[in-house]
Amino acid sequence: MLRRIVLAAVVLAAIGFAVFWWLTIPAVIASNALPAYTPNPANGLTVFNAGGCSSCHAVPNQPDRTRLGGGLAIPSPFGTFYAPNISPDPNDGIGRWSEADFVTAVLKGTSPAGAHYFPAFPYPSYQHAKVEDVRDLFAYLKTLPQVAGRVRDHDVPFPFNIRRNIGVWKVLFMDGKPFMPDAARSAAWNRGAYLVNGLGHCAECHSPRNLLGGIIDAQRFAGGPNPEGEGWIPNITQKGLAEWSTKDIANFLETGQMPEGDTAGGSMARVIRNTAQLPAEDRAAMAEYLKSLPPVEGPPPKKRGAK
């Protein structure tokens, strides 16, 4: 009897492991799945600014937004991540990547080596980007300076450092769906929705997260604890922006100036340096979309000193 129980346990464990392994296979986009296309580096620059690439990947403490040697420390409840080198350097950056490698990384969160990237890389939002935009971004990145220097490994403790487990996280928190325009809305609103939810990845900071680090969908854009440490990220639904006009929001995305006279600081200041480079019509589109978000009550901010 005991032997049968042990055998059944072994079989169930093997089946469970096989299911786990199958569910966590990193998704890859093959080169032959990408149709013929002539990339547009000029649009790639717009994608670069909308995606905030320089905010994380530019070498810290120097003024050139195009020196993408990485190195920025990104603290989180799961450890500290370090933004990698995504310059065209062939040894330390992405200079030897194929276009399919890059598209796979951005849309699927899978490395050229076939491993899951940690979702500190905001691919849960980037997954909604158009393939053409990602290909244009790759073409633009190849025009930037090569920056030598390999970034240190992430400082992530066990068990969060087991990348295979990220496959389960992806099953739970990624839908793999491209952005779908709303035919009942204007072209500007749809452009804003695409930028805010996809390339702009605004929800990644402006939404509370559960214990597994997944965005709480019911409170999307409702603000929450700063994922990088101290402070509180504001609510950008109409609960938080009711007194802001569409023009106020667009102006903020260009200048960082709030209607009451304050100026964006911290990580948002880095975001503004990117959105300020976007075409005015894109900032207006983002503002139109954000102004349309219904009011959502976010989590209550913790009192200073509370744990």
Side-chain angles (χ1 to χ4, degrees), residues 34-302:
L34 298 175
Y37 179 70
T38 302
N40 179 1
N43 181 56
L45 172 59
T46 297
V47 177
F48 175 80
N49 290 321
C53 304
S54 68
S55 291
C56 288
H57 295 283
V59 176
N61 303 317
Q62 56 85 40
D64 189 346
R65 297 171 63 248
T66 68
R67 292 185 57 80
L68 304 179
L72 179 73
I74 306 171
S76 82
F78 304 98
T80 301
F81 301 94
Y82 294 88
N85 185 331
I86 62 166
S87 80
D89 186 88
N91 297 313
D92 302 321
I94 62 172
R96 295 180 180 175
W97 286 27
S98 69
E99 186 182 49
D101 288 338
F102 186 76
V103 173
T104 294
V106 174
L107 298 184
K108 302 298 183 181
T110 301
S111 75
H116 293 295
Y117 281 123
F118 292 109
F121 175 24
Y123 55 78
S125 290
Y126 290 162
Q127 67 173 325
H128 305 303
K130 300 174 183 175
V131 173
E132 295 80 10
D133 279 347
V134 179
R135 298 175 79 174
D136 290 347
L137 173 60
F138 185 57
Y140 172 72
L141 292 178
K142 289 193 292 186
T143 71
L144 301 182
Q146 296 183 16
V147 181
R150 188 173 296 277
V151 175
R152 57 161 293 176
D153 291 338
H154 302 307
D155 185 10
V156 180
F158 179 85
F160 306 119
N161 62 341
I162 301 176
R163 290 181 183 261
R164 193 78 187 197
N165 290 338
I166 301 299
V168 176
W169 191 94
K170 289 179 176 180
V171 171
L172 293 173
F173 302 115
M174 290 181 66
D175 60 20
K177 298 177 181 178
F179 172 75
M180 297 299 294
D182 184 342
R185 297 283 192 166
S186 69
W189 185 94
N190 277 297
R191 174 66 173 171
Y194 172 68
L195 292 173
V196 168
N197 289 291
L199 297 173
H201 61 280
C202 304
E204 300 292 334
C205 285
H206 287 277
S207 305
R209 294 178 179 270
N210 58 30
L211 292 176
L212 295 178
I215 288 175
I216 300 173
D217 286 334
Q219 294 180 307
R220 190 174 179 85
F221 298 119
N226 184 348
E228 295 186 9
E230 295 183 0
W232 198 262
I233 304 297
N235 188 321
I236 56 172
T237 72
Q238 281 304 286
K239 181 69 178 179
L241 298 181
E243 297 182 1
W244 290 44
S245 68
T246 302
K247 185 176 180 180
D248 288 336
I249 299 172
N251 182 67
F252 176 73
L253 293 173
E254 181 180 11
T255 67
Q257 296 293 316
M258 304 179 194
E260 64 271 22
D262 288 342
T263 303
S267 58
M268 193 63 204
R270 300 199 304 267
V271 173
I272 298 298
R273 282 195 286 272
N274 295 305
T275 56
Q277 306 301 317
L278 291 174
E281 55 268 28
D282 278 348
R283 290 192 297 271
M286 293 173 72
E288 180 177 337
Y289 173 74
L290 289 171
K291 189 63 182 173
S292 76
L293 293 175
V296 176
E297 189 72 52
K302 289 183 178 180

